[in-house]
Amino acid sequence: MPVAKIMDQGELFRYTSGRWLINEEHQLEQRFVKFDMESLCLQAVSLFSKATRCVCIVKLEGNFNKAFLLTMDDGNEVIAKIPCPNAGTPSLTTASEVATLRYLRSCTSVRVPKVFAWSSDPGNPVGAEYIIMEKVPGIALSERWETMNMLQRYKIIDRIVEVEKELEELKFPAYGSLYLRQSVPNGYDHYPLPPHLDPTGLFCVGPSCNRSMWSKDFTGMCKSMLNVGPWTSFLEFALSIPERELDTVTDSKSEVQHHLNQFDESQSLHEYFNLLQKVKAIIPTLSHHPLVREVADPVLWHTDLHLGNIFVSLDDPTIIEGIIDWQSTQIAPLFLQARFPEFLRPPKDYSPGTDIPNLPNNFDELDPEQKDQARRERASASQSKYYEMSSLAYNKRVYDAMKLDRRLWEPFTCCQLFSNGSMVPLRNSLLRISQDWDFLDLPGSCPFQFSEEELKMHNEKVVLYQDMLYLWDVVKTQLCTDDSGWVPMERWEETNDINKSLFETYIKTMSEELSPDAASKKWPFPPKSSRVP
């Protein structure tokens, strides 16, 4: 028999690492995928001349993929990865990830897994798209970080800055995603990489497979749409951002309105449409601003550098053995790509610039627990500061991109509604632009203004929005969860009970201000079993 005993089929196909406090059925559907495990193992076995069977299958579950560590009877190990429905647009996501990994291995010094076999056609014998790749040597940085001293951590940060510097220096001919030239599906444009970027002549820039670029119908399945690139000019790329959202508003009116209602039922499609039109009106001007143009080159970037995606040497945790999870990466303007790596995200109240993080002035007055928290926050801020200053010293274009005036880049990022459905961030970005047009050295005058009535309404919505964010932050902290309400399986029962208790307390506390139904709508994770009286 060429395959080890396979676990229960349901265990293979469904998500089993956690549960969700809300929308659980939808979340599980997004992570359910059927495939033929025996065929997948046969593909892996065929890669090694001395292997005759797969003797061990270990399920490694991610948010967007089924992944398995497969061990052959000759000792070889590989990672087999199958994208879930929420991973991105079919075919393109797999084809681009393979091309990105192969490009980085062949044309840069960035260490990434080697791809052994792959298919972006679900009609293959496995019955699903898949990638079989090298198991990166070493261990995830998440397993070492807490035991590393500050000097070791700084060395890792140095390595990350070096990786980002190399990526920043690659200037691609278009915005989109990387593909092997022969793997771009029919109907999509593509632009071959020039010889100095691709001596092999194998790669091209094709449509973006970034998840935010593809609209989703409201069962969550990606659907094809126009205006996903590639784009040869920054202005074309920039205009595509509001245009995609305008298309969504036009094509999915009731679904978008439902999304808007999640924040406030007074929000209207008409206003959202008008705000997007305002963005479209100012983008040509913003796109030609010298400070924006300076950091708008098309660059490839890893935008999810958390500790689990960085593998380091078992013997020396300051040596990076590989960086994983390049799925859905895109070639986009540097100022939209550059950011603090996830594991170096600054704490609240972090001050950008050259100021050294210090303990609070009232540190001596704090109790022991508060002092420990203050020390942790200073250590976190110090790591963020080291990354920031290293970028300034060795990768200044990335530093400049990160410090680009928020008013100039925010309209590019607020067109798509956030999960809470609020238009406040989008409207606020446009208000700031209209009020500070001259101060930002933008030519002419802003093509729109907001009336006193609109300003008053916006300020009222801002209060609601800030209250909502505060409530969500408190609840998420108490429940140790994220915006989606995900909870690991081992904490499910306890967390679900705490959520119910907090919810009932909130309903009672707010009873003099809000009806139970209104209060329930504000709670981020209304329990299924709770019935509002």
Side-chain angles (χ1 to χ4, degrees), residues 29 78 213 253 265 292 324 329-330 421 498 533:
E29 285 176 357
V78 295
M213 290 285 182
K253 290 184 175 66
E265 292 183 0
V292 175
I324 66 169
T329 54
Q330 66 172 335
I498 294 173

Side-chain angles (χ1 to χ4, degrees), residues 272 282 288:
Y272 184 35
I282 62 171
H288 285 91

